[in-house]
């Protein structure tokens, strides 16, 4: 094997690594691959030789020394290993084989603070580091993911040609996703769904928020399904058709599309539809939790995103819920007669809640960038989520448009398009939440998004009483509405001037 012949290297040949390697090879780059357990690498290379036209550009290596020797300089090496300790261990074992200027690219779902630490450590050794979010699961990795790289601008400049080539593409005018003529065939033209997000951990932070939004998007869809099932008594296939229909309009998105498919999938192992047999418990990995806890730490009211994480936690209490269902009573669920009207109302509730969810995600990124010194381009972020990733949706173009009109937009809900949508949909949204409450059907995401909307549009909230309580028991002081901001008062509670209680 000639040395320095490969354009890029990749470590970690599980589902993501294999698919991204094939995608890179499809785009004309020679890629050197390695896996800790070499058998996986050998299987991958031999399978690819049978099935993949671009397999000649895949070079497999059994040692890191051979892998790094095969790479053009400065070396570019992608890590797609299990996030966390495995990433540190892999970097550790790679270090002896690298030299100043080389670039390590972590495509795993790393915590942004780990990425900041790793970049610092590698920079101190003269190496460069890019933490790149990769979204779209295995199909995205194979045929065009959304890629969110964070790191120095000059390291990004070296990676950009490959990242631009392999990323999903969207139409420059409409923002609609473009696809190749055949699976795996590179897409000509279009705007790549990648851009330099910012320094150090910016890419992984943005990927984390993307995943947090994915959580709430999925939960909102589940609540819409559950309301139709319980209030209208519709079968899964009929609800699937509603989602298919919604996918033609402003709710059009990958998640709505696959929901239509999922709901209409017959059970191949029995009667009826598969979804009705799937156990109602959902797990959660790190990124949803990280998004919610980052919001708590930064004091950003991302309550709907957090609710989506809690909804999964509640679903996981299956045995407890089954027991509780025998002991705790709620109202009887009453069927709604006018199916068309309720479906239209649920659609509006879903759209309004989605606007709030995205507003929260973007608020969170806006706050984080102040802490970490990033300068995020929110319109571009929405653009690179338009293709390749799980939350891709027509709606995202409206977010890009909103930030094009006003780059300093404080909250997405204030943009004229979204404001109008909220005004048009809110009556239905309130009806749907009220129906859920009256019938004992939990709608935590719809309800918390509505509470966010109502809270954000309230010039006055009851926090006056709350602050007075804090001053009463903890001398935390308060400001007054009739004096300038920044002047703090304390009362020695219970105080003079209080009406005397009658004996
Ligand atoms: P996994 O997250 O399941 O990781 C498996 C890979 O990590 C294997 O190649 C394994 O090698 C390697 N690995 C482990 Br585990 N410990 C290692 C160590 N100490 N040193 C070297 N290699 C080690 O794979 P994945 O699902 O393909 O995901 C890869 C990354 O991409 C993860 O960070 C994930 O969070 C992220 N991601 C995944 C998705 C998705 O849809 N799956 C989407 C977006 C991002 P072995 O074969 O020798 O055990």
């Amino acid at each position: 094997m000639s040395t320095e012949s490969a354009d890029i290297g990749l470590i970690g040949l599980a589902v993501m690594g294999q698919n991204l390697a094939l995608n890179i090879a499809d785009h004309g780059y020679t890629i050197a691959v390695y896996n800790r357990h070499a058998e996986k690498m050998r299987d991958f290379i031999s399978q690819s030789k049978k099935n993949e036209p671009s397999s000649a550009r895949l070079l497999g290596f059994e040692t890191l020394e051979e892998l790094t020797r095969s790479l053009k300089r400065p070396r570019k090496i992608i890590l797609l290993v299990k996030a966390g300790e495995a990433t540190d261990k892999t970097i550790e074992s790679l270090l002896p084989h690298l030299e100043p200027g080389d670039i390590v690219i972590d495509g795993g779902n790393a915590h942004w603070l780990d990425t900041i630490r790793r970049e610092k450590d590698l920079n101190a050794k003269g190496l460069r580091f890019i933490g790149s979010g990769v979204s779209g699961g295995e199909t995205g990795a194979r045929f065009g993911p959304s890629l969110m790289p964070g790191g120095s601008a000059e390291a990004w400049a070296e990676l950009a040609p490959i990242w631009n080539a392999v990323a999903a593409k969207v139409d420059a005018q409409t923002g609609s996703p473009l696809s190749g003529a055949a699976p795996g065939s590179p897409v000509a033209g279009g705007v790549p769904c990648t851009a330099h997000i910012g320094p150090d951990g910016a890419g992984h932070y943005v990927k984390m928020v993307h995943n947090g939004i994915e959580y709430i998007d999925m939960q909102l869809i589940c609540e819409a399904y559950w309301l139709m099932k319980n209030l209208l008594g519709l079968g899964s296939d009929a609800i699937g058709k509603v989602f298919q229909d919604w996918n033609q309009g402003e709710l059009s998105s990958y998640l709505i599309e696959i929901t239509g498919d999922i709901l209409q999938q017959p059970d191949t192992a029995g009667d009826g539809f598969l979804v009705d047999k799937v156990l109602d418990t959902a797990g959660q990995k790190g990124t949803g939790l990280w998004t919610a806890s980052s919001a708590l730490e930064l004091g950003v009211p991302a309550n709907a995103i957090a609710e989506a994480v809690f909804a999964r936690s509640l679903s996981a209490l299956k045995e407890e819920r089954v027991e509780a269902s025998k002991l705790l009573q709620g109202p009887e669920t009453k069927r709604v007669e006018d199916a068309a009207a309720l479906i239209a109302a649920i659609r509006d509730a879903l759209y309004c809640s989605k606007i709030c969810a995205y507003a929260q995600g973007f608020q969170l990124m806006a706050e984080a960038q102040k802490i970490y010194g990033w300068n995020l381009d929110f319109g571009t972020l929405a653009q690179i989520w338009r293709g390749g990733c799980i939350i891709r949706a027509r709606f995202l173009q409206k977010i890009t448009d909103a930030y094009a009109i006003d780059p300093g937009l404080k909250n997405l809900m204030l943009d004229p398009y979204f404001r109008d949508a909220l005004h048009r949909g809110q009556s239905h949204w309130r009806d749907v939440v009220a129906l859920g409450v009256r019938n004992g059907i939990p709608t935590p995401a719809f309800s918390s998004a509505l509470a966010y909307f109502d809270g954000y549009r309230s010039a006055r909230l009851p926090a006056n009483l709350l602050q007075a309580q804090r001053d009463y028991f903890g001398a935390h002081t308060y400001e007054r509405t009739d004096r300038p901001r920044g002047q703090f008062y304390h009362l020695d509670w219970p105080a003079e001037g209080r009406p005397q209680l009658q004996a």
Side-chain angles (χ1 to χ4, degrees):
M1 183 63 52
S2 67
T3 56
E4 299 190 31
S5 60
D7 299 297
I8 192 159
L10 186 146
I11 299 175
L13 289 170
V15 60
M16 293 299 284
Q18 291 194 12
N19 282 291
L20 190 65
L22 290 170
N23 185 358
I24 291 172
D26 279 348
H27 283 84
Y29 294 100
T30 300
I31 176 161
V33 296
Y34 166 92
N35 195 65
R36 179 179 56 170
H37 292 103
E39 202 181 322
K40 205 179 264 176
M41 180 277 293
R42 286 193 290 269
D43 286 351
F44 172 59
I45 296 288
S46 74
Q47 282 304 315
S48 303
K49 283 210 167 100
K50 284 185 214 148
N51 308 320
E52 301 291 340
S54 57
S55 63
R57 290 190 288 275
L58 290 174
L59 312 176
F61 294 98
E62 306 225 349
T63 67
L64 288 174
E65 190 185 352
E66 288 173 298
L67 176 96
T68 47
R69 230 189 300 134
S70 75
L71 295 170
K72 292 177 189 165
R73 295 170 196 205
R75 300 178 181 93
K76 293 181 272 299
I77 304 173
I78 304 165
L79 311 183
L80 270 164
V81 300
K82 200 173 168 64
E85 206 188 333
T87 309
D88 285 319
K89 283 194 170 150
T90 307
I91 293 173
E92 193 69 33
S93 52
L94 196 52
L95 283 177
H97 309 289
L98 299 180
E99 55 194 38
D102 289 348
I103 306 171
V104 177
I105 303 127
D106 179 16
N109 273 336
H111 192 284
W112 79 97
L113 292 178
D114 285 338
T115 302
I116 291 175
R117 168 178 59 78
R118 288 174 187 139
E119 201 217 19
K120 227 176 178 175
D121 289 352
L122 266 67
N123 283 352
K125 295 177 172 66
L127 299 163
R128 296 179 284 175
F129 188 73
I130 290 180
S132 179
V134 177
S135 176
E138 75 180 288
T139 311
R142 179 67 185 86
F143 301 120
S146 174
L147 296 166
M148 293 152 254
S152 71
E154 41 97 20
W156 162 242
E158 305 241 10
L159 178 65
I162 299 179
W163 248 217
N164 282 331
V166 302
K169 307 289 183 302
V170 292
D171 183 271
Q173 257 67 52
T174 63
S176 299
L178 302 172
S179 54
S185 63
V187 177
V191 180
C193 291
T194 186
H196 184 221
I197 305 294
D200 53 57
H204 275 140
Y205 193 89
V206 164
K207 171 60 170 37
M208 174 197 77
V209 174
H210 162 285
N211 285 21
I213 291 174
E214 182 182 311
Y215 270 57
I216 175 76
D217 250 347
M218 292 169 76
Q219 176 64 24
L220 290 169
I221 289 172
C222 291
E223 290 177 17
Y225 150 71
W226 207 232
L227 287 162
M228 282 188 259
K229 190 174 175 71
N230 287 286
L231 293 173
L232 297 173
L234 293 181
S236 293
D237 53 340
I239 303 173
K241 291 195 173 73
V242 173
F243 279 98
Q244 257 181 342
D245 183 41
W246 286 354
N247 198 40
Q248 304 310 310
E250 59 188 354
L251 274 172
S252 171
S253 66
Y254 173 70
L255 283 168
I256 294 278
E257 180 191 337
I258 67 163
T259 301
D261 283 354
I262 291 166
L263 288 165
Q264 294 178 76
Q265 171 64 48
D267 180 6
T268 50
D271 296 335
F273 294 92
L274 176 62
V275 72
D276 298 322
K277 311 270 177 60
V278 176
L279 191 71
D280 54 320
T281 66
Q284 52 124 350
K285 287 204 233 157
T287 43
L289 182 152
W290 293 346
T291 312
S293 73
S294 177
L296 284 168
E297 275 170 23
L298 299 182
V300 175
N303 60 332
I305 293 177
E307 275 297 348
V309 183
F310 291 135
R312 291 195 189 189
S313 310
L314 190 59
S315 82
L317 304 177
K318 175 70 179 176
E319 284 74 27
E320 261 181 80
R321 288 190 289 113
V322 170
E323 280 309 304
S325 72
K326 296 171 195 154
L327 299 170
L328 300 174
Q329 286 162 8
E332 192 191 331
T333 302
K334 293 203 181 79
R335 285 281 154 82
V336 172
E337 293 300 318
D338 191 342
L342 182 62
I343 289 169
I346 295 173
R347 196 213 70 91
D348 284 351
L350 180 51
Y351 197 63
C352 289
S353 303
K354 190 175 163 91
I355 294 170
C356 291
Y358 279 70
Q360 293 179 7
F362 279 79
Q363 293 285 89
L364 183 54
M365 293 188 286
E367 199 55 36
Q369 72 168 347
K370 290 185 206 157
I371 310 285
Y372 298 106
W374 303 326
N375 186 18
L376 303 175
D377 177 343
F378 297 117
T380 299
L381 289 186
Q383 177 95 49
I384 69 176
W385 290 346
R386 282 247 33 200
C389 68
I390 305 295
I391 64 169
R392 61 186 180 265
R394 184 178 296 181
F395 172 87
L396 286 160
Q397 186 62 34
K398 298 290 180 197
I399 299 183
T400 302
D401 296 346
Y403 283 107
I405 295 166
D406 179 4
L409 188 63
K410 278 206 162 57
N411 187 304
L412 269 183
M413 295 190 293
L414 302 176
D415 164 73
Y417 171 83
F418 290 118
R419 199 170 61 203
D420 186 46
L422 289 163
H423 288 161
R424 272 187 286 113
Q426 68 168 304
S427 163
H428 278 159
W429 189 12
R430 293 179 193 285
D431 290 346
V432 166
V433 169
L435 263 177
V437 172
R438 271 207 301 280
N439 285 281
I441 301 166
T443 56
F446 280 175
S447 312
S448 60
L450 181 55
Y452 174 75
F453 172 66
D454 281 336
Y456 192 77
R457 62 175 196 84
S458 295
R460 248 178 105 68
L461 285 170
N464 51 337
L465 175 57
L466 199 135
Q467 193 57 22
Q469 290 168 334
R470 295 181 72 232
D471 190 58
Y472 190 115
F473 64 69
H476 291 291
T477 74
Y478 55 88
E479 292 168 277
R480 295 182 57 106
T481 56
D482 54 357
R483 308 275 166 83
R485 290 293 308 263
Q487 291 181 10
F488 294 89
Y489 301 88
H490 166 64
L491 191 71
D492 208 3
W493 306 83
E496 69 286 352
R498 199 167 62 122
Q500 293 301 305
L501 291 177
Q502 297 296 319

